[in-house]
Amino acid sequence: MSRRYDSRTTIFSPEGRLYQVEYAMEAIGHAGTCLGILASDGIVLAAEKRNTNKLLDEISFSEKIYKLHDDMACSVAGITSDANVLTNQLRLFAQRHLLQYGEPIPCEQLVATLCDIKQAYTQFGGKRPFGVSILYVGWDKHHGFQLYQSDPSGNYGGWKATCIGNNSSAAVSMLKQEYKEGETNLKQALDLSIKVLSKTLDTNKLTADKVEIATLTRENNVTCIRILPTSEMEALVKKFEEEEAKAEAEKKKDKPSS
Amino acid sequence: MSIMSYNGGAIMAMRGKDCVAIAADRRFGIQAQTVSMDFDKIFEMGPRLYIGLAGLATDIQTVSERLKFRVNLYELRENRRIKPKTLLSVVSNLLYERRFGPYFIEPVIAGIDPLTLEPYVASCDLIGCPMVAKDFAVSGTCSEQMYGMCESLWVEDMTPDQLFEAISQALMNSVDRDALSGWGAIVHIIERDRVTTKTLKTRMD
């Protein structure tokens, strides 16, 4: 029955739903996982790399993590071509703000501006919505470190830790249990992101080449957006595996053998 | 009254051996009245790339901001630092877009290519005609004096210290012969691994 209401974005269904928007979110649920964790001294952004074909040529900066301006970066889940269009728009907005006001755009304003554009595609024009959810990490002088998430409906929210893409609900519930507000520093956030990603990845084992991690920190009043090199990634994965092995051994010790 | 001499100013850039230097006076004046002695006319567009703008002060500020807009987007999209000669093309394009209502500025670019590490000095006229120089580039209300001083003092393959002396003497003596330029000077010496900035105390008149 709902078939009648899903071909055009500009109509509601009788139950008050926008099917095109929901279908767009479906598309994102199949995309590579991205998660963000806010720490006291920085933010971690981790993304699952799906394009691990050996024939693919080396990518310049990153496959899923985009720098937006000096103080903000984002990661996307969904249709990559839609994501490229949106990140280009985000970069233009940020520069126009800088040109007009002489200071960097506050994080929430940039997110809200893009979300207004995304919302327009759900109300008029007859074009389909963008099939991308975006996680934004940034710093501004008003609110410090911030993490935002936006989706195809144009809705956005500020988060302490969140996840988008494949198995995101499992990741979010894990983060809800493990994230300690006010007590997490960058190192702990990195460890936690590896732990959560290893549970949500499709493949059995987490390796450094399947994941991309970026951190945003402030050093000497300058924002530093850094993609972790493979060596650091491998060290983190190794540390995680050692802790897992230890936890397994502890469990075995506690259980008396029958 | 010429628009280019409403605010006054002087910019000079020189090429040395594996280094470049760019210098400017610091006066901001409105015709005969001096308003400020710490007006910046040289702007950083990259770790070893500077552009100096001479001419109408409002256009100096507007063009530097619009140029930074374009350079920021370039660096985000290309994911690398802009080369000096590409910056020259961007400036030339920006200025020619206003061919029939131009920005009243004449830019001077000095920098070191991020990959080849070659020193680079270039300038443009107010509608974007690019001119790459192998020795020096000057622009401002005392450009004739600056051409004379540079021609006399510039030699090929100067070391950073020699280059600093040459550009400082050339700029100082040129602006001292110009009523609308002076009130201090700032010099940036750009080498492969560092940039040194020095301020000069000139005749404060």
Side-chain angles (χ1 to χ4, degrees), chain A residues 18-202:
Chain A
L18 289 169
Y19 282 115
Q20 281 302 304
V21 175
E22 292 185 12
Y23 296 161
M25 309 227 222
E26 252 311 294
I28 293 159
H30 299 301
T33 319
C34 281
L35 68 89
I37 303 178
L38 202 57
S40 52
D41 53 343
I43 323 179
V44 172
L45 195 57
E48 176 196 346
K49 281 205 279 203
R50 279 279 174 91
N51 297 344
T52 47
N53 192 334
K54 272 200 292 193
L55 289 175
L56 264 181
D57 201 0
E58 204 187 287
I59 313 203
S60 47
F61 181 61
S62 156
E63 185 188 306
K64 291 192 45 148
I65 298 179
Y66 301 80
K67 186 174 166 194
L68 299 178
H69 65 96
D70 286 339
D71 302 308
M72 271 183 88
C74 73
S75 179
V76 297
I79 303 175
T80 311
S81 43
D82 288 4
N84 286 337
V85 168
L86 290 178
T87 47
N88 201 32
Q89 285 295 100
L90 284 162
R91 286 169 172 167
L92 278 167
F93 291 147
Q95 288 305 126
R96 284 189 203 129
H97 188 281
L98 179 64
L99 182 63
Q100 204 170 27
Y101 299 101
E103 51 173 53
I105 187 168
C107 299
E108 189 172 345
Q109 266 191 50
L110 184 58
V111 178
T113 312
L114 188 78
C115 284
D116 287 343
I117 305 279
K118 289 213 256 188
Q119 186 276 343
Y121 284 79
T122 69
Q123 193 171 24
F124 49 83
K127 303 188 201 168
R128 68 162 176 84
F130 288 99
V132 201
S133 263
I134 309 181
L135 277 186
Y136 309 80
V137 294
W139 181 93
D140 66 30
K141 65 182 184 195
H142 308 283
H143 300 293
F145 294 112
Q146 294 153 73
L147 170 66
Y148 291 96
Q149 179 197 329
S150 73
D151 60 29
S153 65
N155 201 14
Y156 73 89
W159 293 78
K160 297 169 197 155
T162 187
C163 182
I164 52 179
N166 196 15
N167 286 334
S168 52
S169 35
V172 171
S173 45
M174 205 175 155
L175 283 170
K176 217 172 20 180
Q177 285 182 315
E178 309 257 348
Y179 180 75
K180 294 181 193 59
E181 185 185 343
E183 292 175 20
T184 311
N185 65 23
L186 200 67
K187 266 176 133 27
Q188 294 167 319
L190 279 166
D191 292 333
L192 181 56
S193 63
I194 295 273
K195 187 169 173 188
V196 173
L197 267 178
S198 70
K199 297 278 183 337
T200 62
L201 279 187
D202 266 342

Side-chain angles (χ1 to χ4, degrees), chain B residues 36-108:
Chain B
S36 154
M37 286 108 71
D38 55 7
F39 189 68
D40 287 320
K41 296 172 200 161
I42 300 182
F43 302 91
E44 191 183 321
M45 294 286 145
R48 270 167 267 302
L49 181 53
Y50 285 78
I51 185 167
L53 302 162
L56 195 62
T58 176
D59 286 349
I60 291 175
Q61 293 183 317
T62 302
V63 170
S64 63
E65 286 168 6
R66 287 187 175 269
L67 189 59
K68 196 77 178 108
F69 180 109
R70 295 189 190 200
V71 170
N72 283 346
L73 280 172
Y74 179 94
E75 295 192 343
L76 279 168
R77 288 190 186 126
E78 304 241 344
N79 195 35
R80 61 188 175 91
R81 292 292 186 187
I82 193 168
K83 288 202 294 252
K85 77 184 188 92
T86 316
L87 184 68
L88 181 66
S89 299
V90 175
V91 173
S92 170
N93 177 252
L94 200 159
L95 296 175
Y96 198 84
E97 276 177 357
R98 295 269 168 273
R99 169 67 178 79
F100 300 107
Y103 288 115
F104 294 105
I105 54 141
E106 300 198 321
V108 171

Side-chain angles (χ1 to χ4, degrees), chain A residues 196-222:
Chain A
V196 173
L197 267 178
S198 70
K199 297 278 183 337
T200 62
L201 279 187
D202 266 342
T203 58
N204 314 350
K205 213 161 136 12
L206 173 66
T207 51
D209 62 337
K210 290 209 183 68
V211 182
E212 227 168 16
I213 299 195
T215 55
L216 187 146
T217 47
R218 290 280 291 179
E219 273 142 47
N220 293 334
N221 277 331
V222 170

